[in-house]
Amino acid sequence: MKAMIFAAGLGTRLKPITDTMPKALVPVCGQPLLYHVITKLVAAGYDDLVVNVHHFPDQIIHYLHSHDFGVRIAVSDERDFLRETGGGIRYAKRLLTDFSTPPAAPLEMTERDSFAPLGMTMEPFLVHNVDIVSNLDLDWLREQHREGALATLVVSDRKTQRYFLFDEDNRLKGWTNIATGEVRSPFGDIDPDGCRKLAFAGIHLISPAIFDAFDKYGFGDRFSIVDFYLRACADYPIYAAVPPDFTLVDVGKFDTLSEAEATCATILNG
């Protein structure tokens, strides 16, 4: 099974730590954030991983070379420019759809040096932000992915300012920022108060059909996957998955590191 880890971000909110290292290698519970995500994916059966890099890319590549996680790990090299989340997925297309090399051993490659396609799978691939520490059951998530869905977004009913908007069937309808009152939706008459407001967790299952949809709407090399979802949700089914008893820490700010340490320790101790 395939998964992609977003590890290319600049980590500006974690300065000054990220002045000398990528966010992916910031330690939590004695191990880099990247270690925690990789081991979580491997434990859930993901054996074919893609890690995108941009900020201090050589540090991440060196880390992957010097650790054997027992699975294939490919690097999608974005050091030329940061493509954001949607562009990062699009750039890694061949790595996320090819399975011409058996995932029997770890290796490193760039998207430019990717192996030639011999086949393509329509099985959904997982995308996971490197800075998310959670107790999410990835087996449970796979069970939530509906047939024909373009994507399944892990969301929760937690307090924030920005929310995805879903209907009674948990299908995506739009987005809102409750602090500013901004509403974005392809459905012009949407009423945010009549929708479920749920916060995105930075984890999603995506059908490979998304690559054709990128082309259909004319998305280029650099764009946000959220912008894409808000454009595509009128034409494609995109659903929410709301995990029970969900604990999540977004290690995006310096002051969340202590919370991440506590949450990580709880998860590790069962």
Side-chain angles (χ1 to χ4, degrees):
M1 295 190 296
K2 292 181 176 288
M4 180 173 187
I5 302 171
F6 284 147
L10 300 176
T12 53
R13 294 181 297 167
L14 279 174
K15 285 179 173 289
I17 298 175
T18 49
D19 287 336
T20 56
M21 70 168 60
K23 178 167 58 175
L25 299 185
V26 171
V28 171
C29 288
Q31 294 285 358
L33 287 166
L34 182 58
Y35 168 89
H36 293 294
V37 177
I38 290 176
T39 54
K40 184 179 184 71
L41 295 175
V42 172
Y46 288 92
D47 56 6
D48 196 352
L49 310 184
V50 177
V51 179
N52 72 340
V53 298
H54 173 80
H55 185 55
F56 293 114
D58 292 331
Q59 289 189 31
I60 296 176
I61 292 170
H62 174 74
Y63 176 80
L64 294 173
H65 271 303
S66 59
H67 292 75
D68 183 0
F69 292 99
V71 298
R72 183 171 72 175
I73 302 179
V75 172
S76 184
D77 194 330
E78 298 183 32
R79 74 182 74 206
D80 52 349
F81 70 95
L82 191 60
R83 289 167 169 78
E84 300 187 35
T85 49
I89 293 171
R90 185 177 191 180
Y91 188 64
K93 175 182 178 180
R94 284 183 293 172
L95 299 176
L96 291 169
T97 56
D98 288 350
F99 60 128
S100 53
T101 301
L107 60 106
E108 180 271 324
M109 69 185 84
T110 68
E111 207 281 340
R112 297 183 189 86
D113 299 327
S114 178
F115 40 82
L118 293 179
M120 182 175 291
T121 176
M122 291 305 292
E123 180 181 78
F125 57 87
L126 179 75
V127 174
H128 197 300
N129 289 3
V130 77
D131 56 2
I132 297 298
V133 176
S134 82
N135 65 347
L136 179 65
D137 183 337
L138 295 177
D139 292 329
W140 172 89
L141 175 59
R142 286 196 295 269
E143 294 172 356
Q144 307 311 303
H145 190 73
R146 307 188 199 186
E147 184 176 356
L150 187 69
T152 300
L153 317 181
V154 178
V155 291
S156 64
D157 186 15
R158 70 181 188 277
K159 187 176 181 180
T160 185
Q161 293 184 344
R162 294 175 291 276
Y163 293 96
F164 276 132
L165 302 173
F166 297 91
D167 66 14
E168 64 280 359
D169 192 36
N170 280 341
R171 181 165 174 172
L172 181 65
K173 293 296 182 179
W175 173 96
T176 187
N177 184 325
I178 61 172
T180 64
E182 180 185 5
V183 177
R184 296 174 57 194
S185 172
F187 304 95
D189 58 350
I190 190 171
D191 176 13
D193 291 333
C195 299
R196 289 189 78 184
K197 297 184 179 72
L198 296 167
F200 185 38
I203 306 168
H204 27 157
L205 271 177
I206 301 175
S207 166
I210 200 169
F211 295 108
D212 288 337
F214 289 156
D215 295 337
K216 172 182 176 180
Y217 296 122
F219 279 84
D221 293 331
R222 181 175 182 173
F223 61 96
S224 162
I225 193 62
V226 171
D227 290 345
F228 168 79
Y229 286 151
L230 295 176
R231 172 66 180 85
C233 64
D235 301 320
Y236 295 93
I238 300 170
Y239 293 104
V242 188
D245 303 316
F246 190 39
T247 300
L248 173 147
V249 179
D250 180 349
V251 193
K253 298 180 181 179
F254 193 83
D255 58 7
T256 60
L257 282 173
S258 59
E259 182 182 357
E261 287 276 348
T263 299
C264 178
T266 299
I267 293 170
L268 291 175
N269 292 330

